[in-house]
Amino acid sequence: MPPERPAGESRVTLRFEVEEARAAVLGQVRGDPRVGVVLGSGLGAFAERLSRRQIVPYEEIPYFPVPRVLGHAGNLCVGDVGGATVACLQGRVHAYEGHALDRVVFGVRLLAAIGCHTVLVTNAAGGIGDHLAPGDLMLITDHLNLTGRNPLVGPEENPERRFPDMSEAYDPALRAAAKGAAQDLGIALKEGVYAGVLGPSYETPAEIRMLRTLGADAVGMSTVLEVIALRHLGVRVGAVSAITNRAAGLSATPLRHDEVQETARKMQKTFVRFLTRWIELATEASAGV
Ligand code: HPA
């Protein structure tokens, strides 16, 4: 008989759920993943490149939410790449699907719980900055959380974690490793600030002008809530956007999800090479830690 899920106090319930999920995953997979990867829209192929790959469908993980967006598989994949054992979330859930925020960040909390001290987050995003074109990779240097939400709202068990610092949310050493990876491969790696919005409607041209004024270089509907949850847990975070389109009002054509995905898919080969080398360098940089 599984232990009874505590009702009521939400943090206790959450801790219980993550623990149950952790036990289920560790009961199924061999290996000791220390690096986690979150694969965004159209970028899931990276997980297929893992050697000694083990797949745990989200359905088999207690309390794990299942994504409902086209183009998002729902698997936790564990395997080896770039000299490290990694755990990949192949597909994520978004706040715009109507999930509670504890569900939206459940996957990254699980990555931390199974031992990932580093998590690389990826997404598809619209380019706002003039230096960004579809097909570019943009290393995220900082973010604007414009979702109007925060996964840490609620009771906090540890008073020292009530107000986590976000001044270096995107780890400088991981950013340096990303630049090294791009250089080694001859890939142009752009940089910029990611604005995370709730969605699911794409932005209006006026909203994109506003975001540009606020300092955003790219815009998307994921990542920021996950990064907040990860930093709260003390996990090192790196993140990259696949720029799939120019943001609303910056190109002649209306935005379409299938075109966003198609561009992401076209970027997969470069993206996989980049991510592999990034993990290699990130692992070397943290060796002995
Ligand atoms: N806006 C919001 N989310 C996105 C976009 C965009 O232009 N492209 C890919 N995800």
Side-chain angles (χ1 to χ4, degrees), residues 39-164:
L39 296 167
S41 279
L43 302 172
F46 176 77
E48 280 144 38
R49 305 294 294 269
L50 300 177
S51 53
R52 302 194 317 138
R53 181 165 55 121
Q54 305 162 77
I55 302 173
V56 187
Y58 291 163
E59 284 95 343
E60 294 178 14
I61 306 175
Y63 306 108
F64 205 105
V66 178
R68 303 170 191 142
V69 185
L70 239 69
H72 282 261
N75 296 310
L76 176 75
C77 300
V78 176
D80 298 339
V81 68
T85 301
V86 304
C88 293
L89 298 181
Q90 196 184 28
R92 55 151 68 90
V93 300
H94 300 81
Y96 63 71
E97 293 171 69
H99 295 284
L101 291 201
D102 279 344
R103 279 327 97 192
V104 174
V105 300
F106 194 82
V108 292
R109 284 187 170 141
L110 176 60
L111 291 178
I114 64 175
C116 297
H117 53 61
T118 297
V119 172
L120 305 180
V121 184
T122 72
N123 59 52
I128 298 173
D130 293 332
H131 63 306
L132 296 172
D136 281 342
L137 288 180
M138 185 192 89
L139 180 66
I140 300 180
T141 57
D142 205 346
H143 77 216
L144 297 166
N145 174 15
L146 300 174
T147 63
R149 330 254 315 251
N150 192 303
L152 308 183
V153 170
E156 172 59 63
E157 292 178 325
N158 180 348
E160 283 174 23
R161 288 200 188 162
R162 179 70 287 188
F163 304 109

